[in-house]
């Protein structure tokens, strides 16, 4: 599906005229003189990045839980209890299986009467409703930025935007292998996708802790429009 | 709200605001907190100057090649199924948006914070067309519920209101019956607004940066309202000032880092969202239809002039948060939705000298704004430039500094704003001082000294003064 463009030519010609030249049809991005972003946590090991993330989580009002791969189902089950149980809203994501969570999702939670809803495109808008009613939304992190304590989520038809947004609480499962220094590496990831001829996802979210606002007398209120609480579960997979 | 929101003259506006004690304390407190946090965030990086230089070179390159990047942006938005509309004027923009809303039979519009939609007076246009328009940023929601009180700060729009006032407004307009605790007030707004998000047909957002190479737009918030606005309604309309474009994600990430650090002292805000086109095939959430409205509204006339660098602005409000005059008179005195140093430079350019000629005088030319700016806009020089244009080219009588300062309620001899020192002055002024008063000065201080004598600039620069005021921090 292609979109439309209206009024462009006169608009851009005016800009070129004001700049005192003909419209430009080709511009090469210069080699920037400064690249300070590349120096941040440049040679940090995975453990060092984890330490940075730990500290940053204290700043962003986010609980950080560390676990071994083998213990992940137990840890996640406990975290869900801690945040008040179901209903749960999950992405449809093969990583839940890869990280040994299928039994928890398909058997243990239902046996405990914890409602689990995995994103299912065939249900259409119902997904949004279910996410809205959910107590906890759970997703994996596609990339994790140590410096800022950010999980990067790439949306797709199975990975709805609503899961990390509409539930009252949000849990991100962070494989330690997804840790990178900062948002610079996320830009690099997107560059790689473009170079491979892939489209960028329709929605990329950089999420750093729970939603908050300081709009009333500069008082920090945690939990405004998005989740009220956020927790990261780090899985030691490397 | 159009850009100009007050018919009172500058002096009356300023008087009203200076007598508002809460407002003045709130502004001072907010300035200190935001400024302190920004410094921490900058210091932590260790090489903030290099970051600023990088921000500057990116923004300058984009402006020099703006037609190319907007062309590329529009191509890529269209390729992903979006509809791009270039609007020369405020009217063209708001009429186009109204037509889209009408065609979609939209009744309920949710909006996330956007200065440019204020600039094009969008809410009134949509309301006249029979739509309900709901601001969803907590600060803007408070202002809207309070009969469209104007914003007083570009990042924290309701800064001038205290919690009791907010409680009273909520009680009167929203059946609120709890206390004035910010948590309870915010929860009430959350519950009210969640219903609106779910029921809205149209979502309207601003755009912090658009990314030319991928045709993406980005939204930076802490509350998450912009995510809701762009995830739930069937139609999304994003409105951007034409200068808010960057070449690719590589530059985007640098500018976002500069923005969040400078605006709120955070490494990143809670939500930074990059959206490309309408929802993808098979997606359940996200808009079915996506419109991008690129607004000129006077910006192109700034290109190629001595004021071009003001278009580098990323609307972080760092300059506002260090400005001693803003601190004293508050945001409403500026009479423009853009307040503080950036407002004093930008408002006359976009809105004309007729309405905003005093604003360039609402400055001590101390240079704190320039030092704070993450993209190195020489704000105080541009303010000075405005004064020259007003005097020379516009053929208007110069506005007396003394009168302007009197309007701020600042006594000529007793005020700390003068003695803290103008940056321009602290290097250029020494030899001209006699007995610690300056009588004649060249360059930037000419109009000042032509009109009045004023205390010489102390050795203490504004920054130092500011810390002293903060208690030695
Ligand atoms: S002028 Fe500079 S400091 Fe002021 S809002 Fe714009 S970018 Fe920020």
């Amino acid at each position: 599906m292609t979109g439309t463009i209206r009024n462009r030519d006169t608009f851009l010609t005016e800009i070129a005229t004001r700049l005192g030249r003909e419209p430009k049809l080709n511009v090469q991005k210069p080699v920037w003189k400064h690249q300070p972003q590349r120096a941040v946590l440049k040679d940090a090991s995975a453990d060092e990045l984890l330490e940075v993330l730990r500290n940053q989580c204290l700043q962003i009002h986010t609980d950080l839980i560390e676990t071994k791969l083998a213990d992940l189902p137990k840890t996640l089950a406990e975290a869900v209890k801690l945040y008040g149980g179901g209903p749960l809203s999950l992405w449809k994501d093969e990583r839940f299986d890869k990280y040994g969570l299928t039994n928890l999702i398909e058997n243990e939670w239902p046996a405990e009467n914890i409602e689990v809803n995995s994103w299912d495109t065939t249900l259409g808008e119902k997904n949004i409703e279910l996410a809205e009613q959910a107590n906890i939304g759970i997703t994996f992190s596609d990339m994790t930025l140590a410096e800022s304590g950010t999980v990067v989520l790439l949306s797709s038809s199975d990975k709805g935007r609503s899961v990390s947004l509409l539930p009252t609480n949000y849990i991100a499962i962070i494989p330690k292998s997804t840790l990178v220094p900062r948002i610079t590496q996320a830009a690099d990831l997107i560059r790689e996708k473009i170079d491979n001829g892939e489209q960028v996802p329709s929605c990329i979210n950089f999420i750093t802790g729970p939603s908050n606002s300081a709009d009333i007398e500069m008082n920090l209120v945690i939990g405004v429009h998005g989740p009220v609480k956020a927790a990261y579960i780090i899985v030691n997979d490397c | 709200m159009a850009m100009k929101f007050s018919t009172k003259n500058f002096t009356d506006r300023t008087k009203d605001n200076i007598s508002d004690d809460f407002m003045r304390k709130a502004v001072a407190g907010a300035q200190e907190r935001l400024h302190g946090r920004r410094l921490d965030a900058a210091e932590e990086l260790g090489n903030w100057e290099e970051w600023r230089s990088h921000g500057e070179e990116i923004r300058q390159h984009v402006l020099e090649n703006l037609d190319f990047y907007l062309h590329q942006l529009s191509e890529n938005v269209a390729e992903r199924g979006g509809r791009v509309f270039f609007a020369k004027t405020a009217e063209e923009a708001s009429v186009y948006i109204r037509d889209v809303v009408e065609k979609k039979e939209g009744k309920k519009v949710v909006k996330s914070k956007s200065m440019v939609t204020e600039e094009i007076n969008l809410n009134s246009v949509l309301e006249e067309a029979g739509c309900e328009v709901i601001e969803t940023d907590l600060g803007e929601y408070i202002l809207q519920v309070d009969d469209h009180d104007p914003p007083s700060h570009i990042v924290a729009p309701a800064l001038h209101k205290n919690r009791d006032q907010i409680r009273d407004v909520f009680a009167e307009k929203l059946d609120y019956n709890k206390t004035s605790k910010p948590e309870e007030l915010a929860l009430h707004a959350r519950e009210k607004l969640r219903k609106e998000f779910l029921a809205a047909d149209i979502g309207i957002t601003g755009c912090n940066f658009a990314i030319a190479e991928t045709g993406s737009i980005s939204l930076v918030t802490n509350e998450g309202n912009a995510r809701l606005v762009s995830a739930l309604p069937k139609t999304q309309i994003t409105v951007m000032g034409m200068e808010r474009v960057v070449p690719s994600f590589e530059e985007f990430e640098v500018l976002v880092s500069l923005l969040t650090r400078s605006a709120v002292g955070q490494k990143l805000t809670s939500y930074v969202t990059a959206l490309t086109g309408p929802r993808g095939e098979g997606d359940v959430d996200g808009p079915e239809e996506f419109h991008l409205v690129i607004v000129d509204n006077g910006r192109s006339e700034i290109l190629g002039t001595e004021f071009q660098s003001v278009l580098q602005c990323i609307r972080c409000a760092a300059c506002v948060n260090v400005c001693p005059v803003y601190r004293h008179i508050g945001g409403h005195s500026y009479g423009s939705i853009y307040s503080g140093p950036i407002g004093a430079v930008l408002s006359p350019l976009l809105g004309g000298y007729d309405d905003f000629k005093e604003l360039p005088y609402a400055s001590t030319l101390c240079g704190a704004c320039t030092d704070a700016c993450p993209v190195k806009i020489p704000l105080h020089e541009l303010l000075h430039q405005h004064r020259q244009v007003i005097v020379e080219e516009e053929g208007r009588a110069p506005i007396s500094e003394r009168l302007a300062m009197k309007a701020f309620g600042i006594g000529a001899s007793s005020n700390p704003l003068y003695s803290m020192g103008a940056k321009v002055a602290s290097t250029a002024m020494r030899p001209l001082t006699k007995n610690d008063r300056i009588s004649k000065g060249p360059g930037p201080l000419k109009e000042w000294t032509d009109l009045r004598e004023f205390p010489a600039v102390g050795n203490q620069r504004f920054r130092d003064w500011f810390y002293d005021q903060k208690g030695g921090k």
Side-chain angles (χ1 to χ4, degrees), chain B residues 154 312-320 342 369 372-375 377 379:
Chain B
I154 59 176
Q312 288 164 217
C313 178
I314 60 172
R315 302 283 191 276
C316 71
C319 57
V320 182
I342 178 62
C369 48
C373 180
V375 290
I377 301 172
L379 288 156

Side-chain angles (χ1 to χ4, degrees), chain A residues 1 121 155-158 161 199-203, chain B residues 80 276-289:
Chain A
M1 181 182 56
T121 44
S155 75
S156 71
S157 49
D158 288 334
R161 309 171 186 196
Q199 280 200 331
V200 297
S202 60
C203 177
Chain B
R80 289 291 290 260
T276 309
R279 67 170 69 161
E281 218 178 291
D283 285 6
V284 170
D285 46 12
E288 286 168 358
E289 200 172 298

Side-chain angles (χ1 to χ4, degrees), chain A residues 65-114:
Chain A
I65 305 159
E66 295 179 49
T67 189
K68 293 202 297 273
L69 186 52
D71 294 338
L72 178 60
K74 198 168 122 256
T75 309
L76 181 59
E78 281 168 8
V80 161
K81 286 218 177 79
L82 187 69
Y83 291 101
L88 307 177
S89 170
L90 273 59
W91 271 355
K92 183 178 169 201
D93 187 337
E94 59 207 15
R95 284 173 291 187
F96 283 109
D97 189 46
K98 195 176 147 212
Y99 281 81
L101 296 166
T102 307
N103 188 44
L104 177 67
I105 293 168
E106 288 180 3
N107 303 312
E108 288 177 39
W109 275 332
E112 290 178 54
N113 272 328
I114 292 176

Side-chain angles (χ1 to χ4, degrees), chain B residues 8 34 45 74 93 124 140 153 251 254 267 365 385 407:
Chain B
K8 282 190 178 170
L34 289 169
L45 281 171
S74 58
S124 330
E140 297 216 317
H153 186 283
E251 293 74 33
V254 171
K267 295 185 187 95
L365 300 183
Q385 193 68 42

Side-chain angles (χ1 to χ4, degrees), chain A residues 24 56 164 205 215 217 226, chain B residues 65 139 163 190 227 267 273:
Chain A
K24 280 195 189 173
Q56 179 60 12
S164 60
N205 272 305
D215 274 352
E217 289 190 13
Chain B
N65 299 287
R163 60 181 76 189
R190 175 190 169 100
R227 286 189 67 195
K267 295 185 187 95
T273 303

